[in-house]
Short mmCIF file of all heavy atoms in Angstrom, two decimals:
data_model
loop_
_atom_site.label_atom_id
_atom_site.label_comp_id
_atom_site.label_asym_id
_atom_site.label_seq_id
_atom_site.Cartn_x
_atom_site.Cartn_y
_atom_site.Cartn_z
N GLN A 124 127.90 116.49 103.63
CA GLN A 124 129.06 117.29 103.98
C GLN A 124 128.63 118.69 104.42
O GLN A 124 127.65 119.25 103.90
CB GLN A 124 130.01 117.42 102.80
CG GLN A 124 130.68 116.11 102.38
CD GLN A 124 131.56 116.31 101.17
OE1 GLN A 124 131.25 117.08 100.27
NE2 GLN A 124 132.68 115.59 101.13
N PHE A 125 129.37 119.23 105.38
CA PHE A 125 129.18 120.59 105.87
C PHE A 125 130.51 121.33 105.80
O PHE A 125 131.57 120.71 105.69
CB PHE A 125 128.69 120.59 107.33
CG PHE A 125 127.38 119.89 107.55
CD1 PHE A 125 127.34 118.51 107.75
CD2 PHE A 125 126.20 120.60 107.58
CE1 PHE A 125 126.14 117.85 107.96
CE2 PHE A 125 124.99 119.95 107.80
CZ PHE A 125 124.96 118.57 107.98
N ASP A 126 130.45 122.64 105.89
CA ASP A 126 131.66 123.45 105.95
C ASP A 126 131.48 124.51 107.03
O ASP A 126 130.85 125.53 106.83
CB ASP A 126 131.94 124.11 104.59
CG ASP A 126 133.34 124.72 104.52
OD1 ASP A 126 134.02 124.75 105.56
OD2 ASP A 126 133.73 125.17 103.43
N ASN A 127 132.00 124.19 108.21
CA ASN A 127 131.94 125.08 109.36
C ASN A 127 130.50 125.30 109.85
O ASN A 127 130.03 126.43 109.98
CB ASN A 127 132.58 126.44 109.03
CG ASN A 127 133.03 127.17 110.28
OD1 ASN A 127 133.60 126.59 111.18
ND2 ASN A 127 132.78 128.46 110.31
N PRO A 128 129.79 124.21 110.17
CA PRO A 128 128.45 124.38 110.73
C PRO A 128 128.54 125.08 112.08
O PRO A 128 129.40 124.75 112.88
CB PRO A 128 127.94 122.95 110.86
CG PRO A 128 129.18 122.13 111.03
CD PRO A 128 130.22 122.81 110.17
N PHE A 129 127.63 126.01 112.33
CA PHE A 129 127.76 126.83 113.54
C PHE A 129 126.49 126.82 114.36
O PHE A 129 126.41 126.15 115.38
CB PHE A 129 128.17 128.25 113.15
CG PHE A 129 128.79 129.02 114.26
CD1 PHE A 129 130.15 128.98 114.48
CD2 PHE A 129 128.02 129.79 115.12
CE1 PHE A 129 130.74 129.67 115.52
CE2 PHE A 129 128.58 130.49 116.16
CZ PHE A 129 129.95 130.44 116.37
N GLY A 130 125.48 127.58 113.96
CA GLY A 130 124.24 127.63 114.73
C GLY A 130 123.36 126.43 114.43
O GLY A 130 123.41 125.86 113.34
N ILE A 131 122.56 126.03 115.41
CA ILE A 131 121.69 124.87 115.24
C ILE A 131 120.43 125.05 116.08
O ILE A 131 120.49 125.58 117.20
CB ILE A 131 122.44 123.57 115.61
CG1 ILE A 131 121.65 122.32 115.24
CG2 ILE A 131 122.81 123.56 117.08
CD1 ILE A 131 122.46 121.03 115.36
N THR A 132 119.28 124.63 115.53
CA THR A 132 118.03 124.68 116.28
C THR A 132 117.16 123.53 115.81
O THR A 132 117.48 122.84 114.84
CB THR A 132 117.32 126.03 116.10
OG1 THR A 132 116.26 126.14 117.05
CG2 THR A 132 116.75 126.18 114.69
N ILE A 133 116.05 123.30 116.50
CA ILE A 133 115.21 122.14 116.23
C ILE A 133 113.76 122.55 116.24
O ILE A 133 113.35 123.46 116.97
CB ILE A 133 115.49 121.03 117.28
CG1 ILE A 133 114.90 119.69 116.85
CG2 ILE A 133 115.00 121.45 118.66
CD1 ILE A 133 115.42 118.51 117.66
N ASP A 134 112.94 121.88 115.38
CA ASP A 134 111.51 122.16 115.38
C ASP A 134 110.76 121.08 116.14
O ASP A 134 111.34 120.13 116.67
CB ASP A 134 110.98 122.34 113.95
CG ASP A 134 111.01 121.05 113.13
OD1 ASP A 134 111.16 119.95 113.71
OD2 ASP A 134 110.87 121.14 111.89
N ALA A 135 109.43 121.22 116.21
CA ALA A 135 108.62 120.32 117.01
C ALA A 135 108.59 118.90 116.46
O ALA A 135 108.26 117.96 117.18
CB ALA A 135 107.19 120.86 117.12
N SER A 136 108.95 118.74 115.18
CA SER A 136 108.96 117.42 114.56
C SER A 136 110.32 116.74 114.67
O SER A 136 110.49 115.62 114.15
CB SER A 136 108.56 117.53 113.08
OG SER A 136 107.26 118.06 112.96
N GLY A 137 111.29 117.40 115.29
CA GLY A 137 112.60 116.82 115.46
C GLY A 137 113.56 117.09 114.33
O GLY A 137 114.66 116.53 114.29
N ASN A 138 113.17 117.95 113.39
CA ASN A 138 114.09 118.33 112.32
C ASN A 138 115.03 119.41 112.82
O ASN A 138 114.62 120.33 113.53
CB ASN A 138 113.31 118.86 111.11
CG ASN A 138 112.41 117.81 110.52
OD1 ASN A 138 112.85 116.74 110.12
ND2 ASN A 138 111.12 118.10 110.46
N LEU A 139 116.30 119.28 112.45
CA LEU A 139 117.30 120.27 112.80
C LEU A 139 117.48 121.24 111.64
O LEU A 139 117.36 120.87 110.46
CB LEU A 139 118.64 119.60 113.09
CG LEU A 139 118.68 118.63 114.26
CD1 LEU A 139 119.97 117.84 114.24
CD2 LEU A 139 118.52 119.37 115.58
N TYR A 140 117.81 122.49 111.97
CA TYR A 140 118.15 123.50 110.97
C TYR A 140 119.52 124.06 111.35
O TYR A 140 119.72 124.50 112.48
CB TYR A 140 117.09 124.60 110.92
CG TYR A 140 115.73 124.03 110.54
CD1 TYR A 140 114.84 123.62 111.52
CD2 TYR A 140 115.40 123.84 109.20
CE1 TYR A 140 113.62 123.05 111.18
CE2 TYR A 140 114.18 123.28 108.84
CZ TYR A 140 113.30 122.88 109.84
OH TYR A 140 112.10 122.31 109.49
N VAL A 141 120.44 123.97 110.43
CA VAL A 141 121.84 124.29 110.70
C VAL A 141 122.28 125.44 109.81
O VAL A 141 122.06 125.42 108.59
CB VAL A 141 122.74 123.06 110.43
CG1 VAL A 141 124.20 123.40 110.72
CG2 VAL A 141 122.29 121.87 111.27
N ALA A 142 122.90 126.44 110.43
CA ALA A 142 123.54 127.51 109.66
C ALA A 142 124.91 126.99 109.24
O ALA A 142 125.83 126.91 110.04
CB ALA A 142 123.68 128.77 110.50
N ASP A 143 125.01 126.62 107.96
CA ASP A 143 126.25 126.06 107.41
C ASP A 143 127.07 127.24 106.91
O ASP A 143 126.99 127.64 105.75
CB ASP A 143 125.91 125.08 106.30
CG ASP A 143 127.06 124.17 105.94
OD1 ASP A 143 128.12 124.27 106.58
OD2 ASP A 143 126.91 123.37 105.00
N ALA A 144 127.87 127.81 107.82
CA ALA A 144 128.40 129.16 107.65
C ALA A 144 129.20 129.36 106.37
O ALA A 144 128.94 130.29 105.59
CB ALA A 144 129.24 129.54 108.87
N ASN A 145 130.20 128.53 106.14
CA ASN A 145 131.06 128.76 104.98
C ASN A 145 130.41 128.40 103.66
O ASN A 145 130.85 128.84 102.59
CB ASN A 145 132.37 127.98 105.12
CG ASN A 145 133.31 128.60 106.14
OD1 ASN A 145 133.04 129.69 106.66
ND2 ASN A 145 134.39 127.91 106.46
N ASN A 146 129.35 127.60 103.71
CA ASN A 146 128.61 127.28 102.49
C ASN A 146 127.52 128.30 102.19
O ASN A 146 126.87 128.22 101.15
CB ASN A 146 127.99 125.88 102.58
CG ASN A 146 128.98 124.79 102.30
OD1 ASN A 146 129.83 124.92 101.42
ND2 ASN A 146 128.89 123.69 103.05
N GLN A 147 127.27 129.20 103.14
CA GLN A 147 126.26 130.25 102.97
C GLN A 147 124.88 129.68 102.71
O GLN A 147 124.11 130.17 101.89
CB GLN A 147 126.65 131.19 101.81
CG GLN A 147 128.01 131.82 101.93
CD GLN A 147 128.02 133.06 102.82
OE1 GLN A 147 127.04 133.34 103.50
NE2 GLN A 147 129.10 133.79 102.83
N VAL A 148 124.55 128.58 103.42
CA VAL A 148 123.26 127.93 103.23
C VAL A 148 122.65 127.54 104.57
O VAL A 148 123.33 127.53 105.61
CB VAL A 148 123.37 126.66 102.35
CG1 VAL A 148 123.83 127.01 100.95
CG2 VAL A 148 124.28 125.62 102.99
N ILE A 149 121.37 127.20 104.53
CA ILE A 149 120.69 126.62 105.68
C ILE A 149 120.39 125.18 105.34
O ILE A 149 119.78 124.89 104.30
CB ILE A 149 119.40 127.39 106.00
CG1 ILE A 149 119.74 128.84 106.38
CG2 ILE A 149 118.64 126.71 107.14
CD1 ILE A 149 118.55 129.74 106.51
N ARG A 150 120.84 124.26 106.19
CA ARG A 150 120.63 122.84 105.95
C ARG A 150 119.57 122.30 106.90
O ARG A 150 119.46 122.74 108.05
CB ARG A 150 121.93 122.05 106.17
CG ARG A 150 123.19 122.68 105.60
CD ARG A 150 123.22 122.66 104.08
NE ARG A 150 123.38 121.33 103.52
CZ ARG A 150 124.55 120.69 103.41
NH1 ARG A 150 125.67 121.24 103.88
NH2 ARG A 150 124.62 119.49 102.84
N GLN A 151 118.82 121.33 106.42
CA GLN A 151 117.86 120.62 107.26
C GLN A 151 118.37 119.20 107.47
O GLN A 151 118.83 118.55 106.53
CB GLN A 151 116.49 120.58 106.61
CG GLN A 151 115.43 119.90 107.47
CD GLN A 151 114.12 119.69 106.74
OE1 GLN A 151 114.07 118.97 105.75
NE2 GLN A 151 113.07 120.33 107.22
N VAL A 152 118.28 118.74 108.71
CA VAL A 152 118.70 117.38 109.05
C VAL A 152 117.51 116.70 109.73
O VAL A 152 117.05 117.15 110.77
CB VAL A 152 119.93 117.36 109.99
CG1 VAL A 152 120.41 115.93 110.18
CG2 VAL A 152 121.04 118.25 109.46
N THR A 153 117.02 115.62 109.14
CA THR A 153 115.90 114.89 109.73
C THR A 153 116.38 114.02 110.88
O THR A 153 117.58 113.77 111.04
CB THR A 153 115.21 114.00 108.69
OG1 THR A 153 116.07 112.89 108.39
CG2 THR A 153 114.88 114.77 107.42
N PRO A 154 115.46 113.50 111.70
CA PRO A 154 115.88 112.61 112.79
C PRO A 154 116.64 111.37 112.29
O PRO A 154 117.42 110.79 113.05
CB PRO A 154 114.55 112.22 113.45
CG PRO A 154 113.65 113.38 113.18
CD PRO A 154 114.03 113.85 111.81
N ALA A 155 116.43 111.00 111.03
CA ALA A 155 117.13 109.85 110.46
C ALA A 155 118.48 110.22 109.87
O ALA A 155 119.18 109.35 109.33
CB ALA A 155 116.27 109.19 109.38
N GLY A 156 118.87 111.48 109.97
CA GLY A 156 120.17 111.91 109.46
C GLY A 156 120.19 112.27 108.00
O GLY A 156 121.26 112.42 107.41
N VAL A 157 119.02 112.42 107.41
CA VAL A 157 118.95 112.83 106.01
C VAL A 157 119.16 114.34 105.92
O VAL A 157 118.40 115.11 106.49
CB VAL A 157 117.61 112.44 105.37
CG1 VAL A 157 117.54 112.92 103.91
CG2 VAL A 157 117.40 110.93 105.44
N VAL A 158 120.21 114.74 105.21
CA VAL A 158 120.57 116.15 105.10
C VAL A 158 120.17 116.67 103.73
O VAL A 158 120.50 116.08 102.70
CB VAL A 158 122.08 116.35 105.29
CG1 VAL A 158 122.45 117.83 105.13
CG2 VAL A 158 122.52 115.83 106.66
N THR A 159 119.46 117.76 103.73
CA THR A 159 119.15 118.47 102.50
C THR A 159 119.50 119.94 102.68
O THR A 159 119.51 120.44 103.81
CB THR A 159 117.67 118.34 102.11
OG1 THR A 159 116.86 118.77 103.21
CG2 THR A 159 117.32 116.90 101.75
N THR A 160 119.79 120.58 101.60
CA THR A 160 120.03 122.01 101.64
C THR A 160 118.68 122.69 101.50
O THR A 160 118.09 122.74 100.42
CB THR A 160 120.98 122.44 100.51
OG1 THR A 160 122.23 121.76 100.68
CG2 THR A 160 121.23 123.94 100.56
N LEU A 161 118.19 123.17 102.62
CA LEU A 161 116.87 123.78 102.63
C LEU A 161 116.86 125.08 101.86
O LEU A 161 115.91 125.39 101.15
CB LEU A 161 116.42 124.01 104.08
CG LEU A 161 115.08 124.71 104.26
CD1 LEU A 161 113.95 123.84 103.75
CD2 LEU A 161 114.86 125.04 105.73
N ALA A 162 117.92 125.84 102.01
CA ALA A 162 117.95 127.16 101.37
C ALA A 162 119.38 127.49 100.99
O ALA A 162 120.30 127.36 101.81
CB ALA A 162 117.40 128.21 102.31
#
């Protein structure tokens, strides 16, 4: 689950990093769709 995801970028390995704005966290999304709260 996310709450107002806004900014998004990708690294060389295909992992996404999402600024999950209303949750005040940075989420990581792997190419397989596995979401973890990175920070």
Side-chain angles (χ1 to χ4, degrees):
Q124 294 178 323
F125 299 85
D126 192 353
N127 202 44
F129 200 89
I131 189 170
T132 192
I133 194 166
D134 68 15
S136 300
N138 298 302
L139 298 168
Y140 299 92
V141 180
D143 196 2
N145 286 353
N146 280 321
Q147 304 278 10
V148 297
I149 298 171
R150 317 290 291 279
Q151 182 188 63
V152 186
T153 72
V157 178
V158 178
T159 54
T160 300
L161 177 65

